Amino acid sequence: MIIVTFPDDSVREFAKGITGLQLAESISSRLAQEVLAITVNDQIWDLTRPIETDAAIKLHKWDDEEAKHAFWHSSAHLMAEALKELYPDIKFGIGPAIENGFYYDVDPGEVSIKESDLAVIEAKMMELAARKEAIVRSDISKADALKHFSEIGEVYKTEMIEDLADGTITLYSQGNFSDLCRGPHLPDTGNIKAIKVLSVAGAYWRGDEKRKMLTRLYGITFPKKKMLDEYLALIEEAKKRDHRKIGKELELFMFSEIVGKGLPMWLPRGTALRLRLEDFLKKIQRRFDYQQVMTPHIGNKQLYVTSGHYAKYGKDSFQPIHTPEEGEEYLLKPMNCPHHCEIYKFKPRSYKDLPIRFAEFGTVYRYEQSGELHGLTRVRSFTQDDAHIFCRPDQVKDEFLKVMDIIFIIFNALDFKNFEAQISLRDPNNNEKYIGSDENWDKAEKSIIDACAEKGLKAKVETGEAAFYGPKLDFIVRDAIGRKWQLGTIQVDYNLPERFELDYTGEDNQKHRPVMIHRAPFGSMERFVAVLIEHTSGKFPLWLTPDQVVVLPISEKFNDYAFRIAKEMNAMDIRVQVDDRNEKIGRKIRDNELKRIPYMLIVGEKEVENEEVAVRRQGEGDKGSMKVAEFAKLITDEVNAMVNQYN
């Protein structure tokens, strides 16, 4: 017999070898129908895998991430099985579950898989799912795995197996298809009721631009058709909110092939929006005693060797810049923190000086692969709202709490009210990924955990997700249509102060190491603006929007009045433009609704006579007529109410 501990800490005895599916059945037949995966002693397992020892377990239904992972991982195998039937000579790369659905990278050989083929693949997947094929796990030796996959010509699988350790390899089989995989998977394909093959794209094998370009097929599946219908409706809404589309319509930013891929350029309206965001954060930072600094866009290669960034990120950076002086190399800066360490070293520091908080909107550069570039969310040049706090060990928690306060202010101001937090810790079984001593890592991790506990913030803990120099706290927001975006981040770092030999004179007149806190509430200005565009669908808060008001003269004879009141309001720091096109007023209203300008002021003969404007509010329609001064006060009060709330 074995002892099984359930999530409510209740304990029951079962026969050795019982499966997760049998455990669910022992509770209720309905649970057995709904459960999709099981956690056994902190590892996700198949429901059909026998449990041989005492275990703490949790059964996962659809709403759990663990269940979705097993469901979509199994669906990736279902897609591969369908592809093998449709394209017998196809070769397989990897096919993981992702946040929404799954993909499979394949090499179809001489055949080209196109968008027009997706419906056929989908139909074949539905046919196979209806067979309710059992998905069977089996252990296999490395030698046998190499023999099996090399005999059937699976060159990509063979390459992957060569990197694996013997004794850790498993196969999953369904129907006539077997795949190299760690799992977990569903018991059979019968739970997969709704399928959509979403798109086809290209992807380099193992993300290496020097390797072969494979075909990547994306898909998503659900246990109910209604869920798929709701998801597809969400996708359509997401297309409408695409920041690339709205950014072009509102003339916020652009890209140029001549300038270079992944190098965004901010147009006047986008620049105005971005600068207002920067000014907003600068005002908050002044309240928290930050000092603004500026650093170069390049640095000597040795700077990043010292920091450890070159060893960790060198391959993802632009290649070194060679100067006329022999042996001298510079890099486009991949991070701001090494520069800030050098600023700290500019002069001796005392314990009385700490904490010191350096802030910079610093532009950094990473050589992202061209296939990974995506609008403003994945670029090669981006500006971080970076700050680095140098403090004594006894100040770490308090400083960490203050940074959390700043992030909460920003989220509230921009209506990101639905968010979750994630604490990322090191992988204790893979010290090669990190720099620094175990003692420093323990202290850093404890500081973050204690700060979250003091704030009452329930944070998910992810082992192995820390930065190479320290643990971190990430904030993941849900936008208006429920999608998750990682935005603000805070990291505690005992290691860079060691590498740069930073110190301060303590109260005991001895030298001590400061602790460094890395902090970026927006993350990067590019990514944050992209998320903000999609969250608001381009309808920005009144204080932030590039154009607050547009004046619409009914005919050209009222243009002079329109420009006069626009000039008056611009002088009051209200952002106003005039639409003096020779178009009918209905067309002007429709066009400016699409520009998402919050207020439209219509002026004609009556308005000129009474020194008034007819007011329309975006999405609310006609708000009646009022004096120009009255409207100016209304909009100014609305902006000030928001701004003063956070200043």
Side-chain angles (χ1 to χ4, degrees), residues 355-368:
I356 294 171
R357 309 176 185 94
F358 293 138
E360 176 181 17
F361 288 90
T363 302
V364 297
Y365 303 87
R366 311 271 178 81
Y367 189 79
E368 301 285 355

Side-chain angles (χ1 to χ4, degrees), residues 477-644:
V477 303
R478 284 188 181 272
D479 67 15
I481 57 174
R483 296 169 301 175
K484 290 182 179 181
W485 303 88
Q486 191 274 311
L487 291 180
T489 186
I490 321 171
Q491 301 170 359
V492 178
D493 181 4
Y494 283 78
N495 295 310
L496 284 189
E498 290 275 358
R499 295 176 80 93
F500 280 94
E501 299 181 345
L502 307 184
D503 60 41
Y504 65 90
T505 302
E507 198 169 5
D508 58 2
N509 213 32
Q510 300 298 310
K511 295 295 184 182
H512 299 271
R513 286 271 184 262
V515 183
M516 191 173 177
I517 297 175
H518 306 245
R519 179 235 73 176
F522 289 139
S524 85
M525 300 306 296
E526 286 73 13
R527 181 177 173 80
F528 191 87
V529 169
V531 174
L532 185 63
I533 290 170
E534 301 204 4
H535 178 56
T536 63
S537 195
K539 297 174 183 177
F540 303 112
L542 185 62
W543 67 273
L544 182 61
T545 191
D547 299 304
Q548 295 170 317
V549 181
V550 59
V551 185
L552 312 178
I554 289 175
S555 71
E556 63 182 15
K557 68 179 181 178
F558 305 113
N559 284 355
D560 288 346
Y561 178 68
F563 280 105
R564 176 166 68 81
I565 62 175
K567 184 177 180 181
E568 290 174 8
M569 285 188 282
N570 277 318
M572 291 183 275
D573 205 25
I574 298 170
R575 299 184 290 280
V576 185
Q577 60 171 281
V578 176
D579 184 349
D580 62 346
R581 294 175 301 155
N582 187 23
E583 296 282 0
K584 291 183 178 180
I585 193 65
R587 171 69 182 272
K588 289 184 180 182
I589 290 172
R590 286 193 300 275
D591 289 350
N592 284 285
E593 283 276 358
L594 292 174
K595 290 181 180 178
R596 299 162 175 85
I597 299 174
Y599 282 102
M600 286 179 276
L601 305 182
I602 300 167
V603 296
E605 188 170 345
K606 176 185 172 186
E607 286 74 31
V608 171
E609 287 177 2
N610 297 329
E611 288 284 315
E612 291 181 340
V613 289
V615 182
R616 290 181 65 89
R617 185 70 156 97
Q618 169 76 235
E620 297 177 12
D622 187 12
K623 308 298 284 186
S625 295
M626 61 183 72
K627 297 291 185 185
V628 175
E630 183 185 354
F631 172 75
K633 184 177 185 305
L634 178 148
I635 195 170
T636 301
D637 288 349
E638 187 177 339
V639 170
N640 288 341
M642 182 272 147
V643 173
N644 292 336

Side-chain angles (χ1 to χ4, degrees), residues 73 75-81 83 91-96 102-106 157 177 179-180 215-219:
H73 202 172
S75 301
H77 282 217
L78 180 66
M79 174 188 276
E81 184 185 8
L83 289 168
K91 308 300 178 191
F92 295 99
I94 60 170
F102 54 92
Y103 68 79
Y104 221 116
D105 288 345
V106 299
K157 296 293 183 183
F177 177 76
D179 203 355
L180 174 74
T215 299
R216 176 171 292 182
L217 290 155
Y218 287 95

